[in-house]
Amino acid sequence: MRLRHKVGGMTDQATDTDPAMEPDIPGKPTSASRTTLSHIMTHNDTNLLGTVHGGVIMKLVDDAAGAVAGRHSGGPAVTASMDEMVFLEPVRVGDLVHVKAQVNWTGRTSMEIGVRVLAERWNESDPATQVGSAYLVFTAVDADGKPRRVPPVIPETDRDRRRCQEAQIRRTHRLARRRAIRELREKRAAEGFED
């Protein structure tokens, strides 16, 4: 079986094997792996401006998405890419941050995990405010670090179906962008340019 999917390079392309030759994997509903992680932000999490460092939030996002990917795939999964990490509001010391993640889309060996980041004051009853969002692609791997198949995700609500459709659009754009960059580099190399 020849794989185009490289764990080192982390693409989310399918493999060359014939799907008709492989047994079906039963799908899992979106709710089966949906996760929320919560964390109180402390002074150790701050940047030079006194707000929570973006890297701290990104780690929480990756942790939550990794938990979802592992739950959905039934084993280890590694981060392949992070798309569209958006910070909407600053997070402050004393905020209780909730990181909500779910599988939006599945390919053959990869999954897009959507993440919303909410914050609320730990000692107040005001509703949580969305402070960020991100989309991550994870690849399920076996004990040797090789990509392995994942169960299809079964969207359960209209919102889940919309998220799945949007994830497919992001995947199409991600693959087209990679292809265009690769073609440009090949063209420049053929013309004698060195990068």
Side-chain angles (χ1 to χ4, degrees):
M1 167 170 71
R2 186 174 69 88
L3 296 175
R4 285 184 290 177
H5 194 305
K6 299 183 293 185
V7 174
M10 291 299 166
T11 66
D12 59 350
Q13 297 175 347
T15 63
D16 286 344
T17 59
D18 182 358
M21 302 292 289
E22 297 180 4
D24 287 337
I25 297 177
K28 287 185 177 179
T30 305
S31 62
S33 58
R34 191 175 285 137
T35 297
T36 301
L37 297 180
S38 298
H39 188 78
I40 295 177
M41 298 292 108
T42 68
H43 289 287
N44 293 333
D45 302 316
T46 59
N47 58 27
L48 296 174
L49 299 174
T51 57
V52 172
H53 196 287
V56 171
I57 300 299
M58 290 173 75
K59 181 174 183 334
L60 294 173
V61 164
D62 192 47
D63 287 347
V68 168
R71 279 183 171 182
H72 184 81
S73 68
V78 295
T79 310
S81 68
M82 179 182 274
D83 290 350
E84 299 180 38
M85 180 71 216
V86 177
F87 298 99
L88 303 170
E89 297 283 337
V91 177
R92 294 177 174 80
V93 170
D95 282 354
L96 177 57
V97 172
H98 307 285
V99 184
K100 298 176 176 275
Q102 76 171 50
V103 177
N104 288 338
W105 169 89
T106 53
R108 198 175 138 60
T109 62
S110 61
M111 304 155 274
E112 183 194 270
I113 314 298
V115 181
R116 286 186 323 131
V117 183
L118 305 156
E120 62 182 312
R121 297 306 293 174
W122 69 273
N123 60 350
E124 296 177 7
S125 59
D126 293 338
T129 302
Q130 184 169 349
V131 295
S133 64
Y135 302 100
L136 295 88
V137 176
F138 276 75
T139 301
V141 294
D142 63 18
D144 297 322
K146 303 279 191 241
R148 63 181 172 80
R149 288 185 62 197
V150 299
V153 66
I154 302 168
E156 299 172 280
T157 66
D158 286 339
R159 178 180 280 184
D160 293 341
R161 285 183 277 283
R162 174 188 54 79
R163 288 178 175 168
C164 185
Q165 291 170 336
E166 290 173 358
Q168 291 173 35
I169 292 168
R170 280 187 292 275
R171 179 178 186 270
T172 299
H173 287 230
R174 193 168 44 249
L175 295 176
R177 183 178 63 238
R178 288 179 188 161
R179 186 172 40 256
I181 289 170
R182 185 183 66 244
E183 290 169 359
L184 175 63
R185 288 179 180 174
E186 289 169 356
K187 179 182 178 213
R188 287 180 53 82
E191 293 171 350
F193 292 102
E194 291 184 30
D195 288 333

